[in-house]
Structure formats: structure tokens, C-alpha cells
Amino acid sequence: MAFACLEDPTLERNFKGHRDAITSVDFSLNKKQLVSGSMDSCLMIWSMKPQMRAYRFVGHKDAVMCVQFSPSGHLIASGSRDKMVRLWVPSVKGESTAFKAHTATVRSVHFSTDGQSLVTASDDKTVKVWAVHRQKFLFSLSQHINWVRCAKFSPDGRLIVSSSDDKTVKLWDKASRECIHSFCEHGGFVPHVDFHPSGTCIAAAGTDNTVKVWDVRMNRLLQHYQVHSASVNSLSFHSSGNYLITASNDSTLKILDLLEGRLLYTLHGHQGPATCVSFSRTGDLFASGGFDEQVMVWKTNFDAADYGDVLKTRKYNMNVNGALSNVKSMDPGNVNIQKSGVYRPEKQLEMDFGEVPDKQETQTAESVRKQQEQIQIDETSLASTLQHIVGQLDVLTQTVSILEQRLTLTEDKLKECLENQQKIAQSKSS
């Protein structure tokens, strides 16, 4: 019999107070507070201490689409359908300053790592950068041809990434204010995008049910995940950079192992679409929100284990089709964790000897010992098989990389030939 082991995520808190769908969630730096925005036009500040009251911040005149704590935790930025951005002080008074940032709904707000700049994205098809001090407008980026859903600074603050309903993800140089690359691989709108903690990659969520990860140095697609059965609304990188969590209209949260390139967990908690998800700054907690008007706080747990050791000691528990069996959480309520990966089967040997003679006891103990030895042999052979598979995957990855390089060279040559043909044609016509 298999039980959810210590490394599985667990539901810690469940906050109710909003009167409409949750649109955005974010933790403060010290994890003492969690902010949420909602279609009910309010922000809620939730205390992570039990029995502490939540604060309701009222100021926006329409739905709050996005919220974020500043890196220091002394401010909260929010964007709304009322076209305004507000900067709040997260205290009992709930004081805020407001400025009209765009000519349409503000979909996204994001602080730079130093807390000095704020980038906003809007349905007016623009991305704008502001100085947080005095809310001074600095510049606008306007090459998108449809609503801009999300915009984020890179960790070093040199780049900005934006995603749009024009089905593109654009990478901008903050200093030159130029678009340096457009990623066009999505087959649908792109509601959310984020930078990897290293700043070398970006991940984007699509309404085509996919999650894509690109290298921003080489401008090439690194990973492509199709694990959801409906639109992906939000995603967040773990601070280690090894995991990515996603929220979808299929009502699930999914945790992806980026090192292994596979689905690790599926979490069922929300009734209806899961609209937003965010890891805490240290990665030991994550929060999610949904159409069910609930904010859920989860303890990560799985990041505490040394993943290399876990791979060697755990066993795959597969059914005939190769699908991994489900592990349901021990938490009360309608929360269910499906682990799409390796986990430790805890063998429970229930033996009731009663009036059994000594000889039968000895035989039973002997058979148990043989079973344990067989399990150890199976684990050893499985570990060696897994290592072989990982080695083969590395070879395949290298081969694909070489093929990509050759393809790039071929494309360059073809482009050169076409340019030469054009020049010859032009010279003949002249």
C-alpha cells in the first residue's frame, strides 16, 4: 500500500473573503502576509499567523487584475480594469496613491528587483515603465498588436519580457527600449510569462493548453509541455530554478520538474478554473487562486529532499499503460494530489500470528525476509535502468542540439543563396 510521503505538497491554509474570482496572488518577502486581487474590485491582505484578521483594501472602481508586493515588502502595486495603478502601504489603514497608467484595463504590474521601477501591461497594447518614486512615467514599449496580458523585468533588470493576445512573447532591452526578439511559437493567446531566477530563460503559459520554456540567450525553444487539458492561466518558477508550477482552466495546478523535463505533481484543490499561482520568494510555500473565490496556501515540501538521492532510492509504480499511479493527500477537504513521478512505496506488512504454531511463524518470517531481499534487488536493477535511460536521454539531447546547429547553418546558407539570386536578378533587370 502506498502513502503520500513527506516530500509531497500539503495544503496549509484556505482563505475565504473575496466575493468574486481571484485574479492574482503574491507573498511578501518575509512570508508573513499574502496579497490577493479579485474581480470584486478589492485587495485582501491575509496574515499567515493563525487567528489574525485579514485586511480588505478598497479603492479601485472595477476588477483588480493584478497585485504584487515590492521586493522590500513595504508597498503593494495593483492594476485594475479602471485603468489605474495603485501603490498601497500594507497596514491597517490601507492608504494608497493612484495614477492613471493606461487608456484601458491594466493586466499586469511588476517591480524590478531593486524596487525602483515598475512595469505595467495593458489592453491598450502597450507596456509602460515607471519610476516608483513619485510614480513618474519613464517610457512606453508599443510593438504588440493586441492586448498585452503580462510584462516582467528580468532578475538583473536589463530585460523586459511581455506576452500578448497577438500570440507573441516579446523580449525588450530596457536601456535601448528596443524589441530584441519575438517568440511566435504559441498557437493561442499568451496570458502569462515569467523569467527563470537565473535570467537565462523564460516560461510562457498559453491558451493552447501549453507551457513553453525558451533560452533568451540563444532565442530557442528549450522545453514544451502539454500537460493541461485547458488554457494555462498562470505560472511561477521555484526560487531554485528547478521547478515550475502552473494553474489552468482545467481546475488543476501542475508542478513540472525542469531538470528532468517532466510532470511531477498534479494538485486538485479548486472547484472550477485555477486562475493564478505564485511561489513565495524562498520557494517553501506557494499560493493559488481560482474562480471558486478561494485562496489556497500550500507547503512545497518536495524541494527539501536531495532530488538525485530520491531518484536512486524511490521506485516507479506504473500501471499497464505506463501511467504513474495516483497519490492522494491526507489533507481533509476536496484536495487531492496526484503525483506524476517517483515516490516511495511504504510497505505495510500486517501480520496477525494469533495461535499460529512456531514453525509457521518461522516460515512466515522467512518468506517476508525473501520478499524484502527481492525488493532490494528490484530497486538496485531499477536504479541502474534509470541511470541508463538518463544517459541515453543526454545522448539524444546532444544529438538534437547538433541537428539544430546544422539546420541553422543550412538556413543561413539558403538565405545567402536567395540573397545572391535576388542581387543577380536585380543586376540583370538594371
Side-chain angles (χ1 to χ4, degrees):
M1 187 176 179
F3 291 96
C5 62
L6 292 175
E7 293 89 357
D8 294 341
T10 51
L11 182 66
E12 293 290 295
R13 305 287 297 276
N14 189 8
F15 295 119
K16 296 179 181 179
H18 281 294
R19 300 184 182 99
D20 207 334
I22 314 299
T23 56
S24 183
V25 288
D26 192 42
F27 284 96
S28 63
L29 178 66
N30 59 16
K31 295 176 296 185
K32 290 182 179 178
Q33 292 179 314
L34 173 72
V35 64
S36 58
S38 167
M39 298 297 284
D40 66 6
S41 308
C42 297
L43 282 75
M44 297 282 286
I45 310 289
W46 312 93
S47 174
M48 297 307 292
K49 290 182 180 178
Q51 313 306 321
M52 287 286 286
R53 285 186 60 192
Y55 305 146
R56 183 189 300 275
F57 288 180
V58 180
H60 284 294
K61 294 173 183 174
D62 207 332
V64 177
M65 307 306 294
C66 48
V67 292
Q68 199 206 12
F69 269 101
S70 65
S72 65
H74 298 317
L75 284 176
I76 295 169
S78 62
S80 168
R81 209 153 57 186
D82 65 9
K83 308 171 191 175
M84 306 292 283
V85 167
R86 284 183 176 268
L87 295 175
W88 308 79
V89 178
S91 62
V92 181
K93 291 181 181 178
E95 296 171 335
S96 69
T97 56
F99 58 98
K100 187 175 179 182
H102 291 271
T103 57
T105 300
V106 182
R107 294 275 174 187
S108 169
V109 290
H110 187 248
F111 285 98
S112 58
T113 307
D114 62 9
Q116 299 300 306
S117 301
L118 185 74
V119 63
T120 59
S122 168
D123 286 2
D124 64 11
K125 306 175 191 174
T126 68
V127 173
K128 292 184 179 180
V129 178
W130 311 80
V132 174
H133 182 58
R134 297 184 184 175
Q135 298 88 59
K136 183 185 175 185
F137 171 72
L138 296 178
F139 59 89
S140 183
L141 307 170
S142 51
Q143 287 188 27
H144 282 293
I145 57 172
N146 207 333
W147 294 357
V148 188
R149 294 281 183 167
C150 187
K152 299 281 182 78
F153 284 109
S154 61
D156 62 10
R158 293 189 305 108
L159 300 173
I160 294 170
V161 67
S162 60
S163 64
S164 166
D165 282 7
D166 63 11
K167 302 182 182 179
T168 70
V169 173
K170 291 187 185 292
L171 198 62
W172 311 81
D173 183 279
K174 188 189 171 192
S176 68
R177 305 175 189 179
E178 295 291 326
C179 177
I180 55 180
H181 192 76
S182 289
F183 300 95
C184 307
E185 286 91 341
H186 270 287
F189 301 154
V190 191
H192 199 95
V193 68
D194 201 5
F195 270 98
H196 187 272
S198 68
T200 60
C201 306
I202 55 169
T207 57
D208 58 359
N209 310 351
T210 67
V211 173
K212 290 182 167 69
V213 181
W214 287 282
D215 185 325
V216 298
R217 298 163 299 180
M218 305 291 289
N219 294 330
R220 67 187 183 97
L221 185 66
L222 289 179
Q223 293 180 332
H224 172 276
Y225 296 94
Q226 192 137 17
V227 292
H228 285 287
S229 58
S231 173
V232 187
N233 297 315
S234 178
L235 49 77
S236 178
F237 280 103
H238 186 269
S239 55
S240 68
N242 296 340
Y243 307 100
L244 183 71
I245 189 165
T246 58
S248 167
N249 278 354
D250 65 11
S251 82
T252 68
L253 307 176
K254 290 188 186 275
I255 297 169
L256 305 171
D257 183 333
L258 299 176
L259 297 179
E260 295 290 316
R262 65 185 176 85
L263 177 63
L264 192 61
Y265 292 96
T266 295
L267 278 64
H268 301 268
H270 290 283
Q271 300 295 310
T275 52
C276 51
V277 67
S278 180
F279 274 113
S280 63
R281 304 293 197 274
T282 50
D284 54 338
L285 297 171
F286 59 92
S288 61
F291 267 41
D292 57 6
E293 304 171 12
Q294 295 187 69
V295 175
M296 294 183 176
V297 178
W298 310 73
K299 195 167 183 182
T300 307
N301 293 329
F302 62 81
D303 65 331
D306 181 344
Y307 200 61
D309 293 338
V310 171
L311 267 180
K312 289 176 187 174
T313 56
R314 291 176 175 182
K315 282 177 57 179
Y316 281 98
N317 187 6
M318 289 192 169
N319 63 22
V320 179
N321 298 320
L324 293 152
S325 61
N326 299 344
V327 177
K328 293 188 178 179
S329 77
M330 298 300 179
D331 295 308
N334 191 26
V335 180
N336 152 27
I337 301 175
Q338 174 183 335
K339 188 166 184 183
S340 300
V342 288
Y343 67 91
R344 183 179 294 104
E346 300 291 345
K347 298 281 182 184
Q348 187 172 25
L349 300 172
E350 297 180 349
M351 289 182 282
D352 181 10
F353 293 111
E355 300 294 322
V356 181
D358 290 347
K359 185 177 178 182
Q360 189 168 341
E361 273 188 29
T362 308
Q363 286 175 345
T364 309
E366 182 66 16
S367 67
V368 168
R369 187 180 63 78
K370 284 180 180 177
Q371 283 177 359
Q372 288 173 339
E373 285 175 359
Q374 186 60 42
I375 289 166
Q376 286 174 353
I377 292 165
D378 289 345
E379 285 180 345
T380 307
S381 78
L382 183 62
S384 129
T385 306
L386 284 173
Q387 284 174 350
H388 176 70
I389 290 168
V390 169
Q392 291 296 312
L393 284 172
D394 285 343
V395 172
L396 280 171
T397 304
Q398 289 168 10
T399 307
V400 169
S401 179
I402 291 164
L403 287 171
E404 282 179 345
Q405 288 170 10
R406 286 180 180 173
L407 185 60
T408 304
L409 286 171
T410 307
E411 286 173 346
D412 290 343
K413 287 285 184 189
L414 185 60
K415 188 178 177 182
E416 194 179 324
C417 288
L418 288 170
E419 284 171 355
N420 288 337
Q421 281 181 351
Q422 285 174 351
K423 285 176 185 176
I424 291 165
Q426 284 170 2
S427 63
K428 281 182 179 178
S429 62
S430 59

